[in-house]
Amino acid sequence: MPDRAVVITRPRAQAQPLAQAVRALGRRAVVLPLLEIAPLDDSAPLRAALAGLQSCAMVVFVSPNAVDAAFAHLDRWPPGVPIGVVGEGSRAALARHGVTDENATIHCPPDPAHSDSEHLLASLDLSAFAGRRVLIVRGDGGRELTADTLRAAGAQVAAVAAYRRSVPPLSAALAAELGALLAGPNDWIITSSEALRGLAGLVRELDPDTGLVRLQAQHLIVPHARIAETARALGCDRITLTGSGDARLLAAIQSQE
């Protein structure tokens, strides 16, 4: 399928390694970031929270972006401070900063097919955090499930924003690229429900009459059931659910050949 593209919708900084792996499979990769990641206007609250890491019973990073944003202010991870992540992407981001299972305790959902906050929480002994401090590093806004569940278990939870995210505006260049990609069948790797909702908004703006119908005709490759649910709610039914991690995304790409 030489003309069928693999559209990678991750933020640009995280898209290139996956794009290179897709090209190594002999497929055409198109990087089309659907979320723009930007630093905070004021990083003082983040730096203040990170200064107290040694007192934490656990630090939860909600995404690879949260890992990268935090480590922009860290020389090294303090020994003995456990980490919680929800997927293999965040584990890989930690590894890029030198933090692995060999030198840190990393809590992660055991089943890559269920990489989310619910399964991270289910894998923890929540009673062990009663009366202890837990820091959650995330983007501005986001779900409160992890914080609320830990607080209900008696933990002293603080959440700090590490970056801003936004859907890009429909510029002339983006409109042209989206129009070309929607003109025929392609494989779209969607790794965020927020990004998928943003894509739906962009295609409606691009073509109010048939934009969403054209999106519904595309094949979506998603790593998590929640993203698949978002896709179905938008009327998409050509969905491949892979589980967490680039290896599974790439295996799904290969299966299309």
Side-chain angles (χ1 to χ4, degrees):
M1 50 182 74
D3 296 325
R4 191 181 180 102
V6 178
V7 186
I8 300 169
T9 63
R10 284 177 173 167
R12 190 171 300 279
Q14 298 167 9
Q16 293 303 331
L18 182 56
Q20 291 172 3
V22 166
R23 294 179 185 120
L25 297 176
R27 294 291 305 277
R28 179 166 67 95
V30 175
V31 175
L32 186 77
L34 293 179
L35 285 179
E36 295 180 343
I37 304 300
L40 300 171
D41 293 332
D42 180 8
S43 65
L46 173 61
R47 288 184 279 108
L50 296 175
L53 288 181
Q54 198 66 61
S55 67
C56 292
M58 182 173 64
V59 178
V60 178
F61 293 102
V62 303
S63 68
N65 290 311
V67 173
D68 291 337
F71 274 84
H73 302 282
L74 293 172
D75 294 326
R76 65 184 183 92
W77 189 252
V81 178
I83 296 170
V85 296
V86 298
E88 294 303 315
S90 295
R91 189 187 283 276
L94 287 170
R96 290 196 298 271
H97 295 286
V99 181
T100 67
D101 288 317
E102 295 181 358
N103 55 30
T105 299
I106 303 175
H107 299 288
C108 191
D111 181 359
H114 298 286
S115 297
D116 55 26
S117 299
E118 289 87 343
H119 288 84
L120 170 63
L121 291 164
S123 72
L124 299 170
D125 177 7
L126 296 178
S127 65
F129 297 99
R132 305 176 72 192
R133 184 169 181 263
V134 176
L135 176 66
I136 300 174
V137 183
R138 63 188 191 184
D140 51 347
R143 300 175 75 205
E144 296 294 339
L145 175 70
T146 300
D148 289 346
T149 303
L150 286 163
R151 287 190 183 106
Q156 299 171 4
V157 181
V160 63
Y163 58 93
R164 292 184 291 110
R165 57 181 182 267
S166 61
V167 176
L170 188 65
S171 63
L174 179 55
E177 189 164 24
L178 262 182
L181 290 169
L182 293 171
N186 294 299
D187 300 310
W188 296 64
I189 295 178
I190 310 284
T191 54
S192 160
S193 291
E194 183 180 0
L196 180 53
R197 289 189 291 269
L199 174 61
L202 289 169
V203 301
R204 288 189 184 106
E205 185 179 352
L206 175 70
D207 181 353
D209 295 326
T210 64
L212 189 58
V213 173
R214 294 161 71 189
L215 176 61
Q216 291 164 347
Q218 302 294 315
H219 174 227
L220 308 185
I221 300 172
V222 305
H224 191 273
R226 187 176 298 108
I227 307 173
E229 291 169 6
T230 301
R232 293 188 189 97
L234 291 167
C236 302
D237 56 14
R238 300 191 61 231
I239 304 166
T240 297
L241 177 60
T242 66
S244 180
D246 285 4
R248 293 175 179 82
L249 294 171
L250 292 167
I253 292 297
Q254 287 182 295
S255 73
Q256 302 305 308
E257 298 178 358

